[in-house]
Amino acid sequence: MAGTPSKKRKHPGPKKQPARGNPQKPHQARDPRAVQPATTSDWIAAARLRTLPLAVTPILIGTGAAMLVVDQFHWVIALFCLIVSVALQIGVNYANDYSDGIRGTDDRRVGPARLTASRKASPRAVLSAALLFFGIAAVAGLAITIRTQQWWLIAVGVVCIVAAWFYTGGKRPYGYYGLGEVMVFVFFGLVATLGTTWVQALSLPQEAWFGAVAAGLLACAVLLANNLRDIDQDRAAGKRTLTVLIGRTATRWLFSIFVLAPFGIAIFLALFYPIAWLTLLVLLAALPAILIVWTYRDPRELVVALGLTSLTSVAYGAFLLWAFIG
């Protein structure tokens, strides 16, 4: 009697985990020993020096507007305002490096490599750097509060740090939902400029408001240039920046408006402060940035546009300061 062949049981294999991070980047096993640890220059580059002029511009404009009221230069308060602004800018840059890196958003970058994504530094080290600079901003802000006795500024400082963190941090970062430009305009335009004026003059003249709007628009233009460069990888990684939502052409138009509108404000201010006409010289940097945004072929060219727009911002702020105090 022939035996019946036994049926082999098929055991289901382990379930495949869904891919995380950027779906365009194939998974590759990396040898940790092949990655060189971050050098000092890597850490400096991760601070994104091209964006730091945006932290200086509102301090220049806000200080100039304050001197219209008090006719006195409170250089210690102005210096501490600058420390707060620059420290917050560096802190948010490191926080973005950390948050985007652990999500995989920065796995396929066009611009300079980030510390977390490149594994040159551990996520914990990058997070610690962000917290360090947030701490520096908090201490400098507390010093301003004690000096001016404006205790409500503590609440403003807390809101600024929370907003800096949740730009790309947390479960639902607002930078991933097209709100980055709105928050940049509010905090690196209105809050930074008007706050600088208030702590020095305890008043907010209309010049401070005009300058705050101009500073905010130029800061938004820098962010647009950055997001236009990263549009493809952001879209693939599910990061819905304003640029991803409205597309390249609309972003180009919006960038041009954000860059040129501050010069319309400067022309209006020049009717009362003639030195403000000199801000038109800054178009020598602004117009090439607009040209690059409209004609670029390689996304890396937008790094130059970003740098030119940052230069436009700080030069614009310097001329407005001169106009207000001259």
Side-chain angles (χ1 to χ4, degrees), residues 222-242:
V222 170
L223 183 57
L224 283 176
N226 180 79
N227 290 342
L228 184 59
R229 181 196 64 195
D230 296 337
I231 185 172
D232 291 327
Q233 55 266 37
D234 284 346
R235 183 182 288 120
K239 184 176 181 180
R240 302 176 66 197
T241 63
L242 180 61

Side-chain angles (χ1 to χ4, degrees), residues 33 138 183 220 225 288 321 325:
R33 295 171 297 179
M183 302 303 281
C220 288
L321 170 64
I325 68 177

Side-chain angles (χ1 to χ4, degrees), residues 59-65 67 73 275 316-326:
I59 311 306
L60 295 175
I61 297 174
T63 297
M67 292 178 67
F73 179 36
I275 294 177
Y316 181 96
F319 277 121
L320 272 195
L321 170 64
W322 185 12
F324 290 155
I325 68 177

Side-chain angles (χ1 to χ4, degrees), residues 43-189:
W43 282 99
I44 293 174
R48 309 185 195 183
L49 300 185
R50 290 185 182 89
T51 66
L52 297 190
L54 302 178
V56 179
T57 302
I59 311 306
L60 295 175
I61 297 174
T63 297
M67 292 178 67
L68 291 174
V69 177
V70 298
D71 196 26
Q72 183 180 0
F73 179 36
H74 294 284
W75 69 271
V76 174
I77 297 178
L79 176 61
F80 274 77
C81 288
L82 181 63
I83 293 172
V84 170
S85 187
V86 172
L88 277 176
Q89 180 69 66
I90 296 175
V92 75
N93 288 341
Y94 281 131
N96 293 349
D97 189 304
Y98 166 79
S99 297
D100 284 343
I102 62 174
R103 281 191 172 89
T105 309
D106 282 342
D107 285 350
R108 293 176 65 91
R109 283 191 52 77
V110 175
R114 301 299 183 218
L115 292 175
T116 307
S118 66
R119 299 188 181 181
K120 287 187 173 183
S122 68
R124 183 175 181 178
V126 178
L127 176 60
S128 297
L131 295 177
L132 171 63
F133 281 96
F134 286 152
I136 292 172
V139 171
L142 182 60
I144 294 172
T145 301
I146 295 172
R147 173 66 177 81
T148 61
Q149 297 292 295
Q150 301 291 301
W151 299 103
W152 56 271
L153 289 174
I154 294 176
V156 175
V158 171
V159 172
C160 288
I161 293 175
V162 170
W165 172 255
F166 283 102
Y167 173 54
T168 56
K171 293 182 179 180
R172 295 181 65 84
Y174 61 82
Y176 279 59
Y177 295 93
L179 295 175
E181 285 75 10
V182 173
M183 302 303 281
V184 164
F185 179 80
V186 170
F187 288 100
F188 282 94

